[in-house]
């Protein structure tokens, strides 16, 4: 879902995954100069209406950082309820940058770290710098070599972008 401003440029978006009974919001973003104007709420309600039209969707899931009280207040104002707390397993130690030899999650499921699936979506901030869009194309090519295709590019400013990549297996699915 994308909100388009009067100038024809994207000012907000919601990226979501469609499960058979639940949809899950993986990213919600509104440009800073357009925040507090109910754009995200309008996007959420459009997604809600689309799910209701489909008829078989039980709920729309989303999450935020526990310190993001503004997002939590907005979610509750939209009628969402807090149902669970999510935990993460860091793949690098944020202090010293060392990587573990194996993921405890993969190991507990009887799979090696190498056998774990790559994420379906990857969101990368990008600054084109003095090389302009040529450097962005090189970055997109690097991600393609890692198995990702550019899904969407959202400009934040003249040189700053948010690039959304999808895994090639996800990119081959029809867009919703």
């Amino acid at each position: 879902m994308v909100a388009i401003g009067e100038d024809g440029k994207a000012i907000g978006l919601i990226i979501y995954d469609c499960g058979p009974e639940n949809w899950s919001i993986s990213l919600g973003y509104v440009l800073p100069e357009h925040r507090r104007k109910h754009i995200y709420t309008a996007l959420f309600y459009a997604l809600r209406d689309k799910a209701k039209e489909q008829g078989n969707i039980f709920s729309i899931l989303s999450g935020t950082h526990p310190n993001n009280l503004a997002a939590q207040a907005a979610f509750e104002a939209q009628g969402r309820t807090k149902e669970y707390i999510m935990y993460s397993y860091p793949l690098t130690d944020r202090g010293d940058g060392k990587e573990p030899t194996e993921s405890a999650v993969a190991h507990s499921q009887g799979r090696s770290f190498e056998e774990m699936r790559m994420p379906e979506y990857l969101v990368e901030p990008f600054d084109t710098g003095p090389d302009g869009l040529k450097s962005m194309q090189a970055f997109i090519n690097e991600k393609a070599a890692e198995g990702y295709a550019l899904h969407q590019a959202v400009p934040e400013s003249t040189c700053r972008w948010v690039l959304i990549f999808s895994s090639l297996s996800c990119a081959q699915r029809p867009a919703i």
Side-chain angles (χ1 to χ4, degrees):
M1 295 282 195
V2 178
I4 305 296
E6 293 177 8
D7 61 358
K9 295 182 180 179
I11 58 174
L13 61 88
I14 288 180
I15 297 174
Y16 60 99
D17 295 317
C18 299
E21 296 177 346
N22 299 301
W23 288 358
S24 180
I25 297 173
S26 54
L27 175 68
Y29 180 80
V30 174
L31 292 172
E33 62 269 22
H34 293 284
R35 292 180 184 161
R36 299 238 176 270
K37 298 178 182 175
H38 307 286
I39 293 168
Y40 183 81
T41 297
L43 286 166
F44 176 75
Y45 288 155
L47 180 63
R48 177 202 61 192
D49 293 346
K50 184 175 181 177
K52 283 182 175 183
E53 283 177 25
Q54 188 163 317
N56 63 330
I57 304 305
F58 176 71
S59 65
I60 299 173
L61 307 171
S62 61
T64 190
H65 192 276
N67 294 338
N68 191 345
L69 301 178
Q72 292 174 42
F75 293 170
E76 290 178 20
Q78 295 163 356
R80 305 185 211 185
T81 57
K82 185 187 288 187
E83 294 183 359
Y84 60 89
I85 298 171
M86 183 182 293
Y87 292 86
S88 69
Y89 179 86
L91 297 176
T92 60
D93 180 65
R94 294 178 185 154
D96 63 11
K98 293 180 182 176
E99 293 186 28
T101 57
E102 225 177 357
S103 164
V105 174
H107 185 69
S108 70
Q109 296 172 345
R111 297 182 297 176
S112 71
F113 184 70
E114 292 77 22
E115 292 174 318
M116 288 190 67
R117 251 183 55 182
M118 61 192 294
E120 289 189 32
Y121 292 97
L122 180 67
V123 178
E124 296 278 352
F126 189 82
D127 189 332
T128 59
D131 292 335
L133 295 179
K134 194 166 43 172
S135 65
M136 185 189 298
Q137 184 60 55
F139 184 71
I140 292 168
N141 292 343
E142 286 176 27
K143 291 299 169 192
E146 295 173 16
Y148 289 98
L150 181 64
H151 181 74
Q152 186 173 3
V154 180
E156 285 187 330
S157 68
T158 307
C159 295
R160 293 185 49 84
W161 297 75
V162 175
L163 302 178
I164 303 164
F165 295 90
S166 58
S167 67
L168 290 178
S169 61
C170 182
Q172 294 166 354
R173 291 187 295 194
I176 295 178

